[in-house]
Amino acid sequence: MPAPGPNLKRATIRDVAALAGVSIGTASKALNGQGKLRAETRDRVAAAARELGFAPNVLARGLLAGRTFTVGVITTDSFGRFSIPVMLGAEDALGAGQISVFMCDTRDEPERERQYLDMLLSRRVDGLIVAGRRIEPRPSIGLTLGVPVVYAMTQSMDSDEPAILPDDAGGGRLAAEHLLALGRRRFGHITGPERFLAARKRARGFCDAMAGAGLPFTANDVLYGEWSEAWGREAARLVMRTTPGVDAIFCGSDQIARGVSDTLRLIGCRVPEDIALVGFDNWSPMVLGADPSLTSVDMCLEDVGRVAAQHLLLAISKEPTHGVHTVPCRLVTRGSTSPGTS
Amino acid sequence: MPAPGPNLKRATIRDVAALAGVSIGTASKALNGQGKLRAETRDRVAAAARELGFAPNVLARGLLAGRTFTVGVITTDSFGRFSIPVMLGAEDALGAGQISVFMCDTRDEPERERQYLDMLLSRRVDGLIVAGRRIEPRPSIGLTLGVPVVYAMTQSMDSDEPAILPDDAGGGRLAAEHLLALGRRRFGHITGPERFLAARKRARGFCDAMAGAGLPFTANDVLYGEWSEAWGREAARLVMRTTPGVDAIFCGSDQIARGVSDTLRLIGCRVPEDIALVGFDNWSPMVLGADPSLTSVDMCLEDVGRVAAQHLLLAISKEPTHGVHTVPCRLVTRGSTSPGTS
DNA sequence: GTGAAAGCGCTAACAG
DNA sequence: CTGTTAGCGCTTTCAC
């Protein structure tokens, strides 16, 4: 029973001690399994605690312990599509260690970031995770904060600070290998703006795999544009015009793939029979809404968050890590590359 | 400067007092603008605090004040599409009052909910917001927790507990009025499963407005199905077959509208010239990705969160509110109902 | 085995 | 005007 009854004030250890007829120190030991106590005493205290619905005041405990068992997660992403799974993963890993999370969304405003940082520091968080929506290096949030920091789905311009990123290049490679295994030989790659590091890395992975297979697809063949369906629709026509015989298209995002898919259907091109299609992000509403559903590369952002949290826990226990670490992607196969799958 | 320098331990008020050459109590007063102090003293303390990068330990303050200036947000929605904006709004309203938020995602498992509740109570949160993804009444999280609770985007089966919901019926009415104002007269309404209260409320609002305009569209004409694009695609054909002359379709979600839009294009029906289309949720990737972009009803979930937070703040200051409150929806006009808009 | 006492960082009375 | 004191809830020596 979490409910302490209709008491206005929650029970303190003092109340428990009184009810059990022991001293306050003894009650503490009994509750925490410390020191040497008679089993009977231990039980009596436990019973009293249960009766009062006692839950220790974590603040008081933290004050003494010098740590709070909380960490802050600062995201620039408006709790968006990318930082959410990262947070879930982090919360998961931290929650197992009884650590709670303050979530802060800066909406990409430096001023808010500063405010949140102040707030978190005065709440004496044990550590900080800085999450982003782009993997580009960003200004460090502070090198002398006195608490460990891990970057997730972004990295610090100070390259020594620990950062966890998805393996975008590996994701591009996965897509290429899948399409090659299907026997496709004539490719297109439609993706977001070239100024996005993620777009460049995915393209590089894709091209590397092509080169490895002895195929002529090179960096020059990559179609950079926008992260939108509209660009997918436009680029699809472009590819059909400029690449006769194309039998596979890898898209840098599911939204782009969605646009491509729509246009192919409209011009009477069958997916996957004529053209196999692979997206990126594995974003449910997009990949499942498409017809046929989209094969896509999943960045496993929950893992990114989880790993970031693990690095943070290490740092908190004085075993800090350094530099960039990547987490592998995963390919999820669906109808757009394999007929029967729908 | 948030950075306290490379000190391992952060400065305490004791350090500030020492550096300023005053007593610890005086330092406290100076820092908080309490009592009567010489301006010179005040300045000296302030300077010392700045030099040490002092930020008061909120835990210690809270221990004394009997409150923590934190609230918990428990969501069953896996931080999904609906609870995110709700949280943003809540965080917004609470942050202004210097209150920080513990976010907890139960993933719809009662066991996790219990754990999180315990955790939040032992952290002595000042209040609780329970957020959901469906507006159906849910079992109360506890009537005797000792802290105020507000439900957002869900409600308690104990109908007296305060809950903030979007005005789904009003949203349906908005859609109807917009289409009527456009001169449309023959309608379809395609929506999610009838067991969803939200679907029924939206349909009711829509039908009421129709009746108000003297049009024959009734509850029997509503097509209940699923919240998917596939259902939208299927239902579109159904409507075309069974409702000759239909010139407007209101969809219970943007995903459904998306499916409808796709099918209409495929069968050579022009949107909005032949058929005007209104969605629900105003979910960016869907409404902007569609071609033409979708007019949609926005539930203003940030407002729902904000209002929930305001009710919680009231309750925390001993002025609790009761029962269900609704927040109005807003119609966002785009290409699917108004040509030029794209 | 158990209790008494000190102290984590801070604020609020009350003296001086 | 400023310093001293007590105490928020808890853990942890150290005596008994």
Side-chain angles (χ1 to χ4, degrees):
Chain A
M1 280 287 272
N7 328 342
L8 281 204
K9 283 266 153 250
R10 293 191 57 95
T12 76
I13 198 171
R14 187 193 220 91
D15 303 325
V16 175
L19 184 62
V22 297
S23 83
I24 186 173
T26 304
S28 170
K29 277 173 245 175
L31 259 11
N32 298 301
Q34 303 287 349
K36 304 211 161 300
L37 297 188
R38 229 177 337 155
E40 195 267 332
T41 313
R42 228 176 262 286
D43 293 346
R44 200 144 36 87
V45 173
R50 208 170 325 108
E51 181 171 342
L52 295 172
F54 171 75
N57 184 326
V58 177
L59 276 75
R61 201 199 296 246
L63 190 53
L64 207 56
R67 50 173 299 198
T68 55
F69 296 92
T70 57
V71 313
V73 176
I74 294 189
T75 172
T76 58
D77 186 24
S78 287
F79 290 154
R81 194 146 56 80
F82 301 115
S83 43
I84 296 301
V86 172
M87 293 191 177
L88 276 176
E91 199 204 14
D92 209 46
L94 294 167
Q98 302 278 49
I99 291 183
S100 311
V101 178
F102 282 118
M103 302 253 189
C104 310
D105 166 29
T106 68
R107 297 170 201 204
D108 228 341
E109 300 168 19
E111 170 59 16
R112 282 178 101 99
E113 179 168 301
R114 224 190 42 72
Q115 284 178 357
Y116 276 126
L117 183 57
D118 278 356
M119 183 283 270
L120 291 170
L121 292 177
S122 52
R123 289 199 185 273
R124 297 295 189 273
V125 291
D126 297 333
L128 230 47
I129 292 179
V130 178
R133 107 184 94 188
R134 293 185 53 172
I135 59 173
E136 270 76 4
R138 48 152 286 160
S140 173
I141 198 167
L143 294 169
T144 55
L145 298 178
V147 289
V149 180
V150 174
Y151 295 78
M153 189 69 194
T154 182
Q155 51 186 316
S156 165
M157 272 162 18
D158 183 308
S159 60
D160 189 52
E161 294 191 272
I164 317 296
L165 299 178
D167 182 7
D168 286 290
R173 222 175 303 123
L174 278 179
E177 286 161 2
H178 176 59
L179 293 169
L180 287 167
L182 254 37
R184 308 292 165 139
R185 285 299 174 269
R186 194 115 180 76
F187 298 88
H189 177 33
I190 304 172
T191 189
E194 187 166 9
R195 65 173 190 283
F196 276 71
L197 179 53
R200 298 198 302 275
K201 287 171 81 174
R202 290 167 197 174
R204 179 159 50 72
F206 187 75
C207 292
D208 285 356
M210 289 292 137
L215 291 177
F217 191 96
T218 73
N220 286 325
D221 302 313
V222 177
L223 287 175
Y224 290 102
E226 295 167 30
W227 297 118
S228 70
E229 292 193 49
W231 162 241
R233 290 194 288 262
E234 180 188 338
R237 291 183 191 278
L238 199 62
V239 168
M240 297 308 286
R241 205 163 49 236
T242 59
T243 317
V246 58
D247 58 7
I249 300 180
F250 169 45
C251 299
S253 83
D254 288 332
Q255 277 165 287
I256 292 174
R258 188 63 197 274
V260 171
S261 167
D262 281 0
T263 293
L264 292 182
R265 179 157 22 122
L266 229 45
I267 64 181
C269 191
R270 293 170 311 162
V271 174
E273 292 81 355
D274 302 328
I275 296 191
L277 208 54
V278 175
F280 208 105
D281 290 342
N282 193 33
W283 188 26
S284 296
M286 281 294 152
V287 296
L288 298 180
D291 182 21
S293 59
L294 288 172
T295 291
S296 188
V297 176
D298 190 313
M299 289 188 281
C300 302
L301 294 178
E302 292 212 17
D303 289 340
V304 170
R306 214 184 319 274
V307 171
Q310 285 158 356
H311 281 249
L312 188 60
L313 289 173
L314 278 175
I316 290 174
S317 53
K318 304 289 176 208
E319 306 173 46
T321 56
H322 305 274
V324 174
H325 303 251
T326 64
V327 172
C329 296
R330 187 170 56 96
L331 184 87
V332 180
T333 310
R334 295 200 185 80
S336 70
T337 60
S338 110
T341 324
S342 140
Chain B
M1 281 286 274
N7 329 341
L8 281 202
K9 283 265 151 251
R10 293 190 58 94
T12 76
I13 198 171
R14 186 191 224 93
D15 303 324
V16 175
L19 183 62
V22 297
S23 84
I24 187 172
T26 304
S28 170
K29 274 173 249 176
L31 260 10
N32 298 302
Q34 303 288 348
K36 303 208 162 301
L37 297 189
R38 227 178 339 155
E40 194 267 334
T41 312
R42 225 177 266 284
D43 293 345
R44 202 146 33 87
V45 173
R50 207 171 326 107
E51 181 172 342
L52 295 173
F54 171 77
N57 184 326
V58 177
L59 275 76
R61 200 199 295 243
L63 190 54
L64 204 57
R67 51 173 300 199
T68 55
F69 296 92
T70 58
V71 314
V73 175
I74 293 187
T75 173
T76 58
D77 186 23
S78 288
F79 288 153
R81 196 145 54 82
F82 301 116
S83 44
I84 298 298
V86 172
M87 292 192 179
L88 276 175
E91 198 205 15
D92 207 47
L94 294 167
Q98 300 280 48
I99 290 182
S100 312
V101 178
F102 283 117
M103 302 249 190
C104 309
D105 166 29
T106 68
R107 298 168 200 204
D108 228 341
E109 300 167 20
E111 170 59 16
R112 282 177 100 97
E113 179 168 301
R114 224 191 42 71
Q115 283 178 358
Y116 276 126
L117 184 57
D118 278 354
M119 183 282 271
L120 291 170
L121 292 177
S122 51
R123 290 201 183 272
R124 298 296 189 272
V125 291
D126 297 333
L128 230 46
I129 293 180
V130 178
R133 106 185 96 190
R134 293 186 52 173
I135 59 173
E136 269 76 4
R138 47 151 286 160
S140 172
I141 198 166
L143 294 169
T144 55
L145 298 179
V147 290
V149 181
V150 174
Y151 294 78
M153 188 69 195
T154 183
Q155 51 185 316
S156 165
M157 274 164 16
D158 184 308
S159 59
D160 189 51
E161 295 191 89
I164 316 296
L165 298 179
D167 182 8
D168 286 289
R173 222 175 302 123
L174 278 178
E177 286 161 2
H178 176 60
L179 292 169
L180 287 166
L182 253 37
R184 308 292 165 137
R185 284 300 175 269
R186 194 114 181 77
F187 297 88
H189 177 34
I190 303 172
T191 190
E194 187 166 8
R195 66 172 190 283
F196 276 70
L197 179 53
R200 298 197 303 275
K201 287 171 82 174
R202 291 167 196 176
R204 179 160 50 73
F206 187 76
C207 292
D208 285 356
M210 288 291 137
L215 291 178
F217 190 97
T218 73
N220 286 325
D221 301 312
V222 177
L223 287 176
Y224 290 102
E226 296 166 30
W227 297 118
S228 69
E229 293 193 49
W231 163 241
R233 290 193 287 263
E234 180 188 337
R237 291 182 191 277
L238 198 63
V239 169
M240 298 306 287
R241 205 162 50 236
T242 60
T243 317
V246 57
D247 59 7
I249 299 179
F250 169 44
C251 300
S253 83
D254 288 331
Q255 278 166 286
I256 292 174
R258 188 66 198 271
V260 171
S261 167
D262 280 0
T263 292
L264 292 182
R265 180 157 21 124
L266 229 46
I267 64 182
C269 192
R270 292 170 310 162
V271 174
E273 292 81 356
D274 301 328
I275 296 192
L277 208 54
V278 175
F280 208 105
D281 289 343
N282 193 33
W283 188 26
S284 298
M286 280 294 152
V287 296
L288 298 180
D291 182 24
S293 59
L294 288 171
T295 290
S296 188
V297 176
D298 191 314
M299 289 188 280
C300 302
L301 294 178
E302 291 212 19
D303 289 340
V304 170
R306 214 183 322 274
V307 172
Q310 285 158 357
H311 281 250
L312 188 60
L313 288 173
L314 278 174
I316 289 175
S317 54
K318 304 287 174 210
E319 306 174 45
T321 56
H322 305 274
V324 174
H325 303 251
T326 65
V327 172
C329 296
R330 186 171 58 96
L331 184 87
V332 180
T333 309
R334 295 200 186 80
S336 69
T337 60
S338 111
T341 324
S342 138

